[in-house]
Amino acid sequence: MSPFGIQPKTGYIRKKSVCTVPFALVPTGRNTYNNVKMPSKSSMKYWQVIPASMGFRYTKSQMKAMDRMMALPYPVLIPKHGGYDAAAFPKAVKRKGIVMTVPKKFSRGLSSGSAANSDTDYSDSASDISGGEFHHDLLRHFATADLPPKARKLSSKPPKTVGVQKPKKVMRVLTVEEKTARRFGVPLALPVKTEGKPSEEKVAEITPPIKESMETSAKDVVTATTTTTVTKNDTTLPCPGHLQFECTRCFILYSSFDQIEQHIGQFHIRQEDGCPVFQLSEDNFDSLVSIKWDATAVSNGSNVTAISNAANALAQQLMPPPPVWYRPSVTFTASATLSTSEVSCYRHVTTVRCPSAEPLSDDSFVSTSDWSLDAEIAMALDQSINHKVFQLPAEVKPKKVYKKKVLLKMKEKRPVVVKKPKVKSIKKRDREMEGMEVNGEWYSASTIRKVRLGLQERNGEKLRGGKNMRKCRSVYGIQSQDQWCNMCKWKKRCSRFGTPKPPKDEE
DNA sequence: GCTGCCGGGGT
DNA sequence: ACCCCGGCAGC
Ligand SMILES: [Zn+2]
């Protein structure tokens, strides 16, 4: 039984599936509510499962990763995503359910309420999961009952039912607020079951202290350490965690929306007139940002769910978290200060070819003149350095520069001395403090040199494309499989590191 | 034990 | 095209 009294339709749908967890199933595609795209064939390929205590959607792989980490939060339905008009888009309703499995042991203690309605595959029979109506109901419920006034405006817009011509689709620029609200949902005042004692106070206690940087309420959803409270057996439990934003190109993690937005705007997209983009479009956000839920970031506290505890413990035990490259947020002025000589030398860098460098030809990456060069530089550097760092034996892995995400706060006006990851395995005679600041990030002279030289053969194949190069599995670690390349996920030949391919020729 | 990945299977 | 996984070589 969900805290809301809504019996969630569950979508657990696989033979193997052992338990049913009241997730909200939401189509991948965006919906007409937000006047964005209507669900298309491709976008509706998957449903997404939202264990809604977090107000945003997950990709499948993210869900999978969480699943593996036992980081599944206590499920609460927060269908922040709105519904779509089932009548208008009948096809959208027909898609299959996503396949998610949760080992039985993890589900222990989860509100079970809804029994699995079937363990058939892809139950179309379970029309409930594919129903726009189901979604509709939920939406309505939340729109009327639980959403704060601001959000209500956004999502309670009643869906136009067929008949009338569609209003012209106007792509207006979204405010950050809307954007975040759309994406992550709005802060919900979760209805707390008041049985005997009103537990509102409890909730208030647990709610995280508001960070100093609060602009809009929507922003808070993203920025603040999110702690959603849910009720279970008249006990209030938090689902601790932390939002992270990862650039899908650079695999750089940011801890705030602003930062990722800035990063994307600077490095990966440009307007047609060449101006930098300060506000991410929905599409760009989709393609360039992946959201992560760092459930392990929060620890301690007695008021942590057993699940989270388990997750923490396991995560701790399994492996230290893979080094994450927190790059201080960059400023446009910084990039402008590149001297031409520097540029040229980095220009060279970009030809060096990092094995994992993504093709720069993607449409979201508008390559124009020096800007693209800039971006290329940044990417090449990021990639190569990441490669270097990750490919080194563990002992010489650089200390984590960031230590805590708090450190990110200091990014702003860092004068000079940013700790650099030292790649000292190669040679220590690079003792020079000489370095170079590129786009707000400082790189040591040795690093620069090496990169410039094309990741020279030192360490042989280890750093290049060789056979003994570490692959995704060892680089990113098993707990972040969502960062692996697909091939590695499938236990096929890694497509990111190492030798590219068998040449696929026939004679 | 772990890592990488082939071959073979599934949808 | 995507996805899953048994099993094995090689460390
Ligand atoms: Zn890989």
Side-chain angles (χ1 to χ4, degrees), chain A residues 147-163:
Chain A
L147 298 186
K150 236 176 211 163
R152 187 170 306 147
K153 177 179 63 179
L154 214 160
S155 52
S156 66
K157 207 189 298 177
K160 235 25 201 151
T161 324
V162 225

Side-chain angles (χ1 to χ4, degrees), chain A residues 472 485 488 494-496:
Chain A
C472 296
C485 69
C488 279
C494 177
S495 63
R496 186 173 296 162

Side-chain angles (χ1 to χ4, degrees), chain A residues 470-473 476 483-489 492-497:
Chain A
R470 300 173 66 209
K471 306 291 180 357
C472 296
R473 184 186 176 101
Y476 302 110
Q483 303 195 39
W484 301 7
C485 69
N486 274 342
M487 290 309 177
C488 279
K489 283 179 198 160
K492 299 291 190 195
R493 176 187 290 266
C494 177
S495 63
R496 186 173 296 162
F497 303 104

Side-chain angles (χ1 to χ4, degrees), chain A residues 54-56 177 180-181 183-188 216-227 243 245 257 293:
Chain A
M54 33 215 68
F56 56 88
E177 202 171 324
T180 36
R183 188 89 198 168
F184 309 105
V186 287
L188 289 180
T216 68
S217 59
K219 237 185 210 168
D220 288 341
V221 186
V222 192
T223 310
T225 2
T226 318
T227 306
L243 273 184
F245 305 86
F257 180 83
W293 175 264

Side-chain angles (χ1 to χ4, degrees), chain A residues 202-468:
Chain A
K202 254 190 205 164
V203 179
E205 279 176 16
I206 302 176
T207 350
I210 305 176
K211 297 294 179 182
E212 72 280 340
S213 67
M214 51 172 178
E215 300 262 55
T216 68
S217 59
K219 237 185 210 168
D220 288 341
V221 186
V222 192
T223 310
T225 2
T226 318
T227 306
T228 320
T229 58
V230 302
T231 60
K232 172 199 180 185
N233 301 339
D234 68 36
T235 314
T236 309
L237 299 173
C239 294
H242 185 268
L243 273 184
Q244 292 182 321
F245 305 86
E246 187 189 62
C247 173
T248 58
R249 299 298 188 83
C250 320
F251 305 107
I252 299 174
L253 272 179
Y254 293 93
S255 60
S256 83
F257 180 83
D258 287 344
Q259 289 170 326
I260 191 73
E261 187 173 50
Q262 208 174 352
H263 169 88
I264 301 292
Q266 176 165 17
F267 292 119
H268 303 301
I269 52 175
R270 284 216 104 186
Q271 292 174 0
E272 299 177 5
D273 59 0
C275 289
V277 175
F278 294 98
Q279 292 218 330
L280 278 184
S281 74
E282 187 79 9
D283 281 342
N284 283 326
F285 198 98
D286 268 343
S287 59
L288 290 174
V289 179
S290 78
I291 314 296
K292 296 185 178 309
W293 175 264
D294 183 8
T296 67
V298 180
S299 58
N300 74 41
S302 49
N303 45 11
V304 181
T305 65
I307 298 175
S308 297
N309 272 335
N312 286 338
L314 182 76
Q316 231 71 316
Q317 220 169 20
L318 276 186
M319 202 190 283
V324 179
W325 196 280
Y326 278 109
R327 159 200 276 274
S329 91
V330 259
T331 62
F332 291 95
T333 51
S335 67
T337 59
L338 269 180
S339 77
T340 46
S341 60
E342 285 165 346
V343 168
S344 61
C345 82
Y346 280 105
R347 221 315 177 211
H348 187 51
V349 169
T350 61
T351 61
V352 160
R353 214 33 345 108
C354 308
S356 77
E358 306 231 346
L360 298 176
S361 55
D362 194 31
D363 44 28
S364 60
F365 184 94
V366 184
S367 52
T368 48
S369 64
D370 51 0
W371 181 266
S372 77
L373 194 153
D374 216 9
E376 285 178 19
I377 291 170
M379 290 177 63
L381 269 179
D382 282 345
Q383 293 281 352
S384 59
I385 288 181
N386 270 338
H387 270 253
K388 276 181 169 326
V389 170
F390 284 133
Q391 296 300 328
L392 290 175
E395 312 84 56
V396 286
K397 264 187 196 167
K399 299 213 150 180
K400 304 178 209 169
V401 202
Y402 35 89
K403 213 158 246 173
K404 295 223 159 131
K405 22 198 168 321
V406 190
L407 205 146
L408 275 175
K409 294 293 180 176
M410 314 174 10
K411 60 171 185 202
E412 284 311 336
K413 289 300 182 173
R414 209 49 151 316
V416 191
V417 258
V418 184
K419 249 184 284 170
K420 262 306 88 207
K422 294 177 186 164
V423 191
K424 61 179 180 185
S425 78
I426 315 272
K427 229 161 204 180
K428 29 181 99 168
R429 70 112 150 74
D430 294 321
R431 60 192 51 131
E432 300 326 306
M433 289 317 302
E434 287 282 324
M436 189 171 289
E437 184 174 351
V438 181
N439 296 330
E441 185 79 1
W442 191 86
Y443 296 97
S444 78
S446 61
T447 302
I448 297 297
R449 201 171 309 128
K450 282 162 206 155
V451 171
R452 191 185 303 157
L453 291 184
L455 297 176
Q456 75 296 53
E457 307 309 320
R458 304 198 158 272
N459 275 9
E461 301 184 315
K462 284 224 164 113
L463 288 184
R464 291 292 295 202
K467 191 169 195 293
N468 37 16

